[in-house]
Amino acid sequence: MKVILIGDSGHARVIADNVTSNGDTVIARLDDKYSELEKRGECFYGPSSSVHELIRQEQAKVVIAIGANAVRQKIASKLNLSEDNYATIIHKEAIVSPSAELGPGTVVMPGVIVNAAAKVGSHVILNTRLVIEHDCVIGDYAHVSPGAMITGGVLVGDGVHIGAGATVIPTKSIGAWSTIGAGSVVIDDIEEHSTAVGVPARIIKTADQTVSTANRKA
Ligand SMILES: CC(=O)SCCNC(=O)CCNC(=O)[C@H](O)C(C)(C)COP(=O)(O)OP(=O)(O)OC[C@H]1O[C@@H](n2cnc3c(N)ncnc32)[C@H](O)[C@@H]1OP(=O)(O)O
């Protein structure tokens, strides 16, 4: 498979490694820091607007290789490609249950385990060595960071960022576009657009306010 990466930063370099781990080839790195499409060696570099031309010319699939969830969503909306135009990239050293589902544009890094009947949406990042346990549902544009442990039956909303090494206990829900701090342990449902940190995780920010330290539960 030929793959076009949208984005040309550190995250894109990691995804390029994932692509080549399977014997596939990155044929283009598109980023709006480039003004014109040009070929250097075997790879095209150019602005993201070149993507439509390259898909037609090269019969390639696309991955939006940008770490920020909201930016990934914005670019997907702007490109307006069909689901078929996106690749799902699974590193050869990840373990994905045959009964799990992964959406288009989703990337699965080395050492990840996705267990039975998990449903992972589109344009999701499942980062290095995390675990998504059985029956979890992970929304579109979510990013689960390295080493996180998402236990059985957890619901992770669209656009959620779960920090490195965080744990979510079984059947809890993380509302859309919330952030869980690195190393936190989520033992309660977390409402949308919140930031929660600590062990156990407590909400420190909501969509329209910052919860003062004094008001947080001990
Ligand atoms: C390959 C890769 O690199 S993937 C990237 C993975 N990235 C991550 O895991 C980063 C996750 N991000 C975090 O943990 C961040 O600290 C966030 C998003 C939770 C909070 O960031 P900010 O909104 O900037 O909060 P800020 O740094 O101002 O901290 C606010 C308070 O929360 C506390 N806090 C922040 N993060 C944490 C945490 N992870 N655990 C416990 N407490 C925390 C701070 O000590 C501070 O407490 P105080 O008000 O009592 O002083």
Short mmCIF file of all heavy atoms in Angstrom, two decimals, residues 22-63:
data_model
loop_
_atom_site.label_atom_id
_atom_site.label_comp_id
_atom_site.label_asym_id
_atom_site.label_seq_id
_atom_site.Cartn_x
_atom_site.Cartn_y
_atom_site.Cartn_z
N ASN A 22 5.16 -2.67 8.10
CA ASN A 22 4.30 -3.64 7.40
C ASN A 22 4.70 -3.83 5.95
O ASN A 22 3.95 -4.43 5.18
CB ASN A 22 2.85 -3.14 7.43
CG ASN A 22 2.33 -3.06 8.83
OD1 ASN A 22 2.56 -3.96 9.62
ND2 ASN A 22 1.68 -1.97 9.18
N GLY A 23 5.82 -3.25 5.56
CA GLY A 23 6.23 -3.36 4.16
C GLY A 23 5.52 -2.37 3.25
O GLY A 23 5.64 -2.45 2.02
N ASP A 24 4.74 -1.45 3.82
CA ASP A 24 4.09 -0.42 3.01
C ASP A 24 5.04 0.77 2.85
O ASP A 24 6.09 0.82 3.48
CB ASP A 24 2.77 0.01 3.68
CG ASP A 24 1.77 -1.14 3.74
OD1 ASP A 24 1.74 -1.94 2.78
OD2 ASP A 24 1.05 -1.25 4.75
N THR A 25 4.63 1.74 2.01
CA THR A 25 5.55 2.82 1.65
C THR A 25 4.89 4.18 1.83
O THR A 25 3.77 4.39 1.36
CB THR A 25 5.95 2.69 0.15
OG1 THR A 25 6.38 1.36 -0.07
CG2 THR A 25 7.06 3.65 -0.21
N VAL A 26 5.61 5.09 2.48
CA VAL A 26 5.16 6.49 2.54
C VAL A 26 5.61 7.16 1.25
O VAL A 26 6.81 7.26 0.98
CB VAL A 26 5.76 7.22 3.76
CG1 VAL A 26 5.41 8.70 3.73
CG2 VAL A 26 5.27 6.58 5.06
N ILE A 27 4.64 7.60 0.45
CA ILE A 27 5.02 8.21 -0.84
C ILE A 27 4.92 9.73 -0.81
O ILE A 27 5.35 10.40 -1.74
CB ILE A 27 4.17 7.66 -2.01
CG1 ILE A 27 2.68 7.93 -1.76
CG2 ILE A 27 4.45 6.18 -2.25
CD1 ILE A 27 2.05 8.66 -2.90
N ALA A 28 4.30 10.29 0.26
CA ALA A 28 4.21 11.76 0.33
C ALA A 28 4.06 12.20 1.78
O ALA A 28 3.42 11.53 2.59
CB ALA A 28 3.02 12.25 -0.48
N ARG A 29 4.67 13.34 2.06
CA ARG A 29 4.52 14.01 3.36
C ARG A 29 4.03 15.42 3.05
O ARG A 29 4.78 16.22 2.49
CB ARG A 29 5.85 14.06 4.11
CG ARG A 29 6.34 12.67 4.54
CD ARG A 29 7.79 12.76 4.95
NE ARG A 29 8.32 11.45 5.26
CZ ARG A 29 8.52 10.97 6.49
NH1 ARG A 29 8.22 11.72 7.53
NH2 ARG A 29 9.02 9.78 6.68
N LEU A 30 2.77 15.67 3.37
CA LEU A 30 2.16 16.95 3.00
C LEU A 30 1.99 17.80 4.25
O LEU A 30 1.53 17.31 5.29
CB LEU A 30 0.81 16.72 2.32
CG LEU A 30 0.85 15.81 1.09
CD1 LEU A 30 -0.54 15.70 0.47
CD2 LEU A 30 1.85 16.29 0.06
N ASP A 31 2.35 19.05 4.12
CA ASP A 31 2.28 19.95 5.27
C ASP A 31 2.20 21.36 4.70
O ASP A 31 2.89 21.66 3.71
CB ASP A 31 3.55 19.77 6.12
CG ASP A 31 3.43 20.44 7.47
OD1 ASP A 31 3.21 21.66 7.50
OD2 ASP A 31 3.57 19.75 8.50
N ASP A 32 1.42 22.22 5.33
CA ASP A 32 1.26 23.56 4.76
C ASP A 32 2.49 24.43 4.98
O ASP A 32 2.52 25.59 4.52
CB ASP A 32 -0.03 24.20 5.28
CG ASP A 32 -1.25 23.52 4.65
OD1 ASP A 32 -1.07 22.81 3.62
OD2 ASP A 32 -2.36 23.65 5.19
N LYS A 33 3.53 23.88 5.60
CA LYS A 33 4.81 24.62 5.62
C LYS A 33 5.49 24.55 4.24
O LYS A 33 6.40 25.31 3.96
CB LYS A 33 5.75 24.08 6.71
CG LYS A 33 6.30 22.70 6.47
CD LYS A 33 7.10 22.19 7.68
CE LYS A 33 7.56 20.77 7.51
NZ LYS A 33 8.12 20.18 8.72
N TYR A 34 5.03 23.63 3.38
CA TYR A 34 5.55 23.55 2.01
C TYR A 34 4.59 24.31 1.09
O TYR A 34 3.37 24.15 1.21
CB TYR A 34 5.65 22.09 1.54
CG TYR A 34 6.50 21.22 2.44
CD1 TYR A 34 5.96 20.11 3.09
CD2 TYR A 34 7.85 21.52 2.64
CE1 TYR A 34 6.74 19.31 3.92
CE2 TYR A 34 8.63 20.72 3.46
CZ TYR A 34 8.08 19.63 4.10
OH TYR A 34 8.84 18.85 4.92
N SER A 35 5.14 25.10 0.17
CA SER A 35 4.24 25.87 -0.70
C SER A 35 3.94 25.16 -2.01
O SER A 35 2.89 25.36 -2.60
CB SER A 35 4.80 27.27 -0.95
OG SER A 35 6.12 27.16 -1.40
N GLU A 36 4.86 24.33 -2.49
CA GLU A 36 4.65 23.66 -3.78
C GLU A 36 4.96 22.19 -3.69
O GLU A 36 5.84 21.78 -2.91
CB GLU A 36 5.60 24.26 -4.84
CG GLU A 36 5.17 25.61 -5.31
CD GLU A 36 6.12 26.18 -6.35
OE1 GLU A 36 6.99 25.43 -6.85
OE2 GLU A 36 5.97 27.37 -6.63
N LEU A 37 4.27 21.40 -4.51
CA LEU A 37 4.52 19.96 -4.53
C LEU A 37 5.81 19.68 -5.30
O LEU A 37 5.98 20.13 -6.43
CB LEU A 37 3.34 19.25 -5.20
CG LEU A 37 3.37 17.72 -5.18
CD1 LEU A 37 3.31 17.19 -3.74
CD2 LEU A 37 2.23 17.14 -6.01
N GLU A 38 6.72 18.95 -4.65
CA GLU A 38 7.95 18.55 -5.36
C GLU A 38 8.36 17.17 -4.88
O GLU A 38 8.02 16.75 -3.77
CB GLU A 38 9.08 19.56 -5.13
CG GLU A 38 9.47 19.73 -3.68
CD GLU A 38 10.76 20.55 -3.52
OE1 GLU A 38 11.51 20.70 -4.48
OE2 GLU A 38 11.01 21.01 -2.40
N LYS A 39 9.08 16.45 -5.75
CA LYS A 39 9.54 15.10 -5.38
C LYS A 39 11.01 15.17 -5.00
O LYS A 39 11.83 15.72 -5.75
CB LYS A 39 9.35 14.14 -6.55
CG LYS A 39 9.38 12.69 -6.12
CD LYS A 39 8.84 11.76 -7.19
CE LYS A 39 8.69 10.35 -6.63
NZ LYS A 39 8.30 9.39 -7.64
N ARG A 40 11.30 14.67 -3.79
CA ARG A 40 12.71 14.59 -3.37
C ARG A 40 12.99 13.12 -3.16
O ARG A 40 12.38 12.49 -2.28
CB ARG A 40 12.93 15.32 -2.05
CG ARG A 40 12.68 16.80 -2.12
CD ARG A 40 13.07 17.47 -0.80
NE ARG A 40 12.18 18.57 -0.49
CZ ARG A 40 11.88 18.98 0.74
NH1 ARG A 40 12.40 18.38 1.79
NH2 ARG A 40 11.05 19.97 0.92
N GLY A 41 13.88 12.57 -3.97
CA GLY A 41 14.11 11.13 -3.92
C GLY A 41 12.82 10.41 -4.29
O GLY A 41 12.20 10.71 -5.31
N GLU A 42 12.38 9.50 -3.42
CA GLU A 42 11.17 8.70 -3.72
C GLU A 42 9.91 9.31 -3.12
O GLU A 42 8.84 8.72 -3.22
CB GLU A 42 11.36 7.27 -3.16
CG GLU A 42 12.46 6.47 -3.86
CD GLU A 42 12.19 6.33 -5.35
OE1 GLU A 42 11.10 5.88 -5.72
OE2 GLU A 42 13.09 6.71 -6.14
N CYS A 43 10.02 10.45 -2.43
CA CYS A 43 8.89 10.97 -1.66
C CYS A 43 8.48 12.37 -2.12
O CYS A 43 9.33 13.21 -2.39
CB CYS A 43 9.29 10.99 -0.18
SG CYS A 43 7.93 11.29 0.94
N PHE A 44 7.17 12.59 -2.20
CA PHE A 44 6.66 13.93 -2.52
C PHE A 44 6.56 14.75 -1.22
O PHE A 44 6.18 14.22 -0.17
CB PHE A 44 5.25 13.84 -3.12
CG PHE A 44 5.20 13.27 -4.50
CD1 PHE A 44 4.94 11.92 -4.71
CD2 PHE A 44 5.41 14.09 -5.60
CE1 PHE A 44 4.89 11.40 -5.99
CE2 PHE A 44 5.36 13.59 -6.89
CZ PHE A 44 5.11 12.23 -7.09
N TYR A 45 6.84 16.04 -1.35
CA TYR A 45 6.63 17.00 -0.26
C TYR A 45 5.79 18.13 -0.85
O TYR A 45 6.05 18.56 -1.98
CB TYR A 45 7.95 17.55 0.26
CG TYR A 45 8.79 16.50 0.96
CD1 TYR A 45 9.57 15.60 0.23
CD2 TYR A 45 8.78 16.39 2.35
CE1 TYR A 45 10.31 14.62 0.86
CE2 TYR A 45 9.52 15.42 2.99
CZ TYR A 45 10.29 14.53 2.24
OH TYR A 45 11.01 13.56 2.87
N GLY A 46 4.81 18.59 -0.11
CA GLY A 46 4.00 19.69 -0.65
C GLY A 46 2.90 20.06 0.32
O GLY A 46 2.78 19.48 1.42
N PRO A 47 2.08 21.04 -0.04
CA PRO A 47 0.98 21.46 0.83
C PRO A 47 -0.13 20.40 0.87
O PRO A 47 -0.25 19.58 -0.05
CB PRO A 47 0.48 22.75 0.16
CG PRO A 47 0.88 22.61 -1.27
CD PRO A 47 2.12 21.80 -1.31
N SER A 48 -0.94 20.46 1.92
CA SER A 48 -1.99 19.43 2.08
C SER A 48 -3.00 19.46 0.93
O SER A 48 -3.64 18.45 0.63
CB SER A 48 -2.68 19.57 3.43
OG SER A 48 -3.18 20.86 3.59
N SER A 49 -3.11 20.61 0.26
CA SER A 49 -4.06 20.69 -0.86
C SER A 49 -3.65 19.79 -2.04
O SER A 49 -4.46 19.55 -2.93
CB SER A 49 -4.18 22.14 -1.35
OG SER A 49 -2.89 22.62 -1.67
N SER A 50 -2.42 19.26 -2.02
CA SER A 50 -1.97 18.35 -3.10
C SER A 50 -2.56 16.96 -2.94
O SER A 50 -2.35 16.10 -3.81
CB SER A 50 -0.44 18.20 -3.08
OG SER A 50 0.19 19.43 -3.02
N VAL A 51 -3.25 16.72 -1.83
CA VAL A 51 -3.64 15.34 -1.51
C VAL A 51 -4.56 14.74 -2.58
O VAL A 51 -4.42 13.57 -2.94
CB VAL A 51 -4.26 15.24 -0.10
CG1 VAL A 51 -5.64 15.86 -0.02
CG2 VAL A 51 -4.28 13.82 0.39
N HIS A 52 -5.50 15.54 -3.10
CA HIS A 52 -6.47 14.97 -4.06
C HIS A 52 -5.76 14.51 -5.33
O HIS A 52 -6.01 13.41 -5.83
CB HIS A 52 -7.55 16.01 -4.37
CG HIS A 52 -8.26 16.48 -3.14
ND1 HIS A 52 -7.86 17.61 -2.45
CD2 HIS A 52 -9.31 15.98 -2.46
CE1 HIS A 52 -8.64 17.77 -1.40
NE2 HIS A 52 -9.54 16.80 -1.38
N GLU A 53 -4.84 15.34 -5.82
CA GLU A 53 -4.06 15.01 -7.01
C GLU A 53 -3.24 13.73 -6.78
O GLU A 53 -3.22 12.82 -7.63
CB GLU A 53 -3.13 16.20 -7.29
CG GLU A 53 -2.19 16.05 -8.44
CD GLU A 53 -1.20 17.26 -8.48
OE1 GLU A 53 -1.45 18.29 -7.81
OE2 GLU A 53 -0.19 17.12 -9.18
N LEU A 54 -2.60 13.63 -5.61
CA LEU A 54 -1.75 12.46 -5.34
C LEU A 54 -2.57 11.18 -5.17
O LEU A 54 -2.13 10.10 -5.59
CB LEU A 54 -0.90 12.70 -4.09
CG LEU A 54 0.31 13.61 -4.29
CD1 LEU A 54 0.95 13.95 -2.95
CD2 LEU A 54 1.34 12.96 -5.21
N ILE A 55 -3.74 11.28 -4.57
CA ILE A 55 -4.60 10.09 -4.44
C ILE A 55 -4.92 9.54 -5.83
O ILE A 55 -4.82 8.34 -6.08
CB ILE A 55 -5.90 10.42 -3.66
CG1 ILE A 55 -5.61 10.68 -2.19
CG2 ILE A 55 -6.91 9.28 -3.80
CD1 ILE A 55 -6.80 11.25 -1.43
N ARG A 56 -5.30 10.46 -6.72
CA ARG A 56 -5.65 10.03 -8.09
C ARG A 56 -4.43 9.45 -8.81
O ARG A 56 -4.49 8.36 -9.39
CB ARG A 56 -6.14 11.24 -8.90
CG ARG A 56 -7.64 11.47 -8.83
CD ARG A 56 -8.09 12.41 -9.92
NE ARG A 56 -7.33 13.64 -9.98
CZ ARG A 56 -7.56 14.71 -9.21
NH1 ARG A 56 -8.54 14.69 -8.33
NH2 ARG A 56 -6.83 15.81 -9.32
N GLN A 57 -3.33 10.16 -8.72
CA GLN A 57 -2.12 9.80 -9.48
C GLN A 57 -1.49 8.50 -8.97
O GLN A 57 -1.01 7.68 -9.74
CB GLN A 57 -1.14 10.96 -9.31
CG GLN A 57 0.11 10.93 -10.11
CD GLN A 57 0.95 12.18 -9.75
OE1 GLN A 57 0.48 13.31 -9.83
NE2 GLN A 57 2.17 11.96 -9.33
N GLU A 58 -1.49 8.31 -7.65
CA GLU A 58 -0.71 7.22 -7.04
C GLU A 58 -1.59 6.10 -6.47
O GLU A 58 -1.06 5.12 -5.96
CB GLU A 58 0.17 7.77 -5.91
CG GLU A 58 1.14 8.86 -6.34
CD GLU A 58 2.33 8.31 -7.12
OE1 GLU A 58 2.70 7.15 -6.89
OE2 GLU A 58 2.87 9.05 -7.96
N GLN A 59 -2.90 6.26 -6.51
CA GLN A 59 -3.82 5.30 -5.85
C GLN A 59 -3.36 5.03 -4.41
O GLN A 59 -3.25 3.89 -3.98
CB GLN A 59 -3.93 3.99 -6.60
CG GLN A 59 -4.94 4.02 -7.74
CD GLN A 59 -4.27 4.28 -9.07
OE1 GLN A 59 -3.29 3.61 -9.37
NE2 GLN A 59 -4.76 5.23 -9.82
N ALA A 60 -3.07 6.11 -3.71
CA ALA A 60 -2.54 5.99 -2.35
C ALA A 60 -3.64 6.26 -1.33
O ALA A 60 -4.68 6.84 -1.65
CB ALA A 60 -1.41 6.99 -2.16
N LYS A 61 -3.41 5.78 -0.10
CA LYS A 61 -4.32 6.04 1.02
C LYS A 61 -3.71 7.10 1.93
O LYS A 61 -2.48 7.27 1.94
CB LYS A 61 -4.54 4.75 1.83
CG LYS A 61 -5.12 3.61 1.03
CD LYS A 61 -6.62 3.72 0.90
CE LYS A 61 -7.19 2.47 0.26
NZ LYS A 61 -8.62 2.60 0.00
N VAL A 62 -4.55 7.71 2.74
CA VAL A 62 -4.13 8.89 3.52
C VAL A 62 -4.22 8.60 5.01
O VAL A 62 -5.11 7.89 5.47
CB VAL A 62 -5.06 10.08 3.17
CG1 VAL A 62 -4.74 11.31 4.00
CG2 VAL A 62 -4.99 10.39 1.68
N VAL A 63 -3.27 9.17 5.76
CA VAL A 63 -3.37 9.22 7.22
C VAL A 63 -3.08 10.66 7.65
O VAL A 63 -2.11 11.25 7.18
CB VAL A 63 -2.34 8.28 7.90
CG1 VAL A 63 -2.36 8.46 9.42
CG2 VAL A 63 -2.64 6.83 7.56
#
